Amino acid sequence: MKAVFPKKKLGQHFLNDLNIAQKIADLLQNQNCDNVLEIGPGMGVLTDFLIPHSKNLKMVEIDLESVAYLNQKYPEMQAQILNEDFLKMDISTLFANESFAIIGNFPYNISSQIVFKTLEHRHSIPFFCGMFQKEVAQRICEKPGTKAYGILSVLCQTYYHTQYQFNVSPGVFSPPPKVDSGVLSLERKEDLIVDFDEKLLFRIVKTGFQQRRKTLRNSLKTLNIPKFILEDSIFDLRPEKLSSEEFIELTKKVGNAKI
């Protein structure tokens, strides 16, 4: 089979280190995920190690050349190789309404969008792992009080246990990216009690970090929060100081005021 030519416009950097591929696939162990969706399989380097781990593996690949390659490489799996754009496809019924894990060597230019879509479908996705630009992976797993801590950090940590797994150097890709990479995993918090307005939480987090240098009292002005609620000392803080748990408590305070 003729190798696929990496396309810059698709952000393709094909992993060619089998040891790294094995380490990523091994993150699925002990997750009890029969259904697995791989995003951007390329030439199947990671796929080879996923097949033994999953009873029902599907692959979504936007690149027609890669799809043709995968169809040749895995002729028995052609029905499970989907030539679609993950960001545009309906994943809610992908596995007949059953839960599924997401894994992949993600295109760095859309990696944050992949995470946001995962959060949108969090009730169906108990586990998520894969390759990111190192800076983005660290940001997702970052703790409060730092400049890197932001919207993705709070929202991912609200619903998932985040863990930065390991660094990956540019030399294991073809072509090598200009940045270092990192692998992370997200394991859903099954004991999370959702007794807060989730849409309001997303709104508060996004609005707060849009003006992260301001205190929450100032950055959340557009939400028209009653003055008596704004007297709470939590509004003296900048958004980067609040943990995901504290954002939940803030959401409850604001929600109870019936804004």
Side-chain angles (χ1 to χ4, degrees):
M1 293 181 293
K2 184 180 178 181
V4 178
F5 181 75
K7 299 167 187 64
K8 187 176 182 180
K9 67 178 182 179
L10 296 178
Q12 289 178 327
H13 295 276
F14 293 140
L15 181 64
N16 54 32
D17 187 307
L18 300 184
N19 290 325
I20 297 295
Q22 177 75 75
K23 286 178 70 176
I24 296 173
D26 284 348
L27 295 174
L28 281 174
Q29 289 186 353
N30 304 318
Q31 291 300 324
N32 296 319
C33 293
D34 291 340
N35 302 315
V36 177
L37 177 65
E38 182 185 6
I39 299 175
M43 291 189 289
V45 172
L46 176 58
T47 312
D48 287 339
F49 295 97
L50 294 178
I51 291 172
H53 282 293
S54 53
K55 293 180 180 179
N56 187 10
L57 172 66
K58 293 187 178 182
M59 296 158 264
V60 55
E61 175 59 67
I62 195 172
D63 179 28
L64 280 171
E65 188 181 4
S66 293
V67 170
Y69 183 95
L70 293 167
N71 281 331
Q72 281 187 284
K73 186 175 183 179
Y74 309 110
E76 74 287 355
M77 299 181 69
Q78 289 188 12
Q80 293 156 272
I81 301 169
L82 312 175
N83 179 210
E84 294 192 55
D85 181 345
F86 172 77
L87 297 180
K88 296 178 180 179
M89 68 186 295
D90 179 8
I91 63 173
S92 60
T93 59
L94 198 57
F95 292 95
N97 294 315
E98 293 182 356
S99 295
F100 60 97
I102 287 181
I103 193 168
N105 173 28
F106 306 122
Y108 295 164
N109 56 345
I110 62 167
S111 60
S112 294
Q113 293 167 271
I114 290 173
V115 175
F116 278 120
K117 185 160 184 173
T118 296
L119 287 168
E120 181 184 346
H121 293 273
R122 58 193 175 275
H123 303 296
S124 300
I125 305 170
F127 187 73
F128 173 102
C129 66
M131 186 91 68
F132 287 79
Q133 181 178 331
K134 182 179 179 180
E135 181 182 279
V136 177
Q138 290 177 327
R139 185 182 307 141
I140 289 171
C141 302
E142 190 61 82
K143 299 303 179 187
T146 65
K147 291 183 179 179
Y149 185 73
I151 295 172
L152 274 179
S153 317
V154 175
L155 295 180
C156 286
Q157 291 173 34
T158 295
Y159 296 102
Y160 291 88
H161 298 290
T162 66
Q163 185 170 352
Y164 188 92
Q165 296 288 346
F166 54 88
N167 298 328
V168 182
S169 65
V172 303
F173 298 94
S174 177
K178 296 180 180 179
V179 296
D180 288 334
S181 303
V183 172
L184 65 75
S185 63
L186 307 178
E187 187 173 350
R188 193 172 61 197
K189 295 179 178 179
E190 302 299 344
D191 58 348
L192 177 67
I193 299 174
V194 184
D195 56 353
F196 54 92
D197 184 331
E198 294 181 277
K199 289 184 178 180
L200 180 59
L201 170 70
F202 276 64
R203 189 179 175 195
I204 285 174
V205 172
K206 290 180 178 180
T207 303
F209 278 101
Q210 283 172 358
Q211 302 181 74
R212 61 181 301 147
R213 294 180 62 84
K214 294 184 178 181
T215 65
L216 289 164
R217 184 174 289 107
N218 291 316
S219 63
L220 299 181
K221 276 184 177 179
T222 57
L223 299 187
N224 298 317
I225 301 171
K227 288 185 179 180
F228 75 93
I229 295 293
L230 290 173
E231 293 174 1
D232 194 298
S233 60
I234 196 170
F235 290 96
D236 294 331
L237 302 174
R238 292 178 178 177
E240 65 192 41
K241 296 295 184 181
L242 272 64
S243 67
S244 59
E245 292 82 7
E246 288 171 320
F247 265 107
I248 289 174
E249 291 306 311
L250 175 60
T251 300
K252 291 178 182 179
K253 291 179 187 291
V254 175
N256 289 337
K258 298 180 180 180
I259 64 169

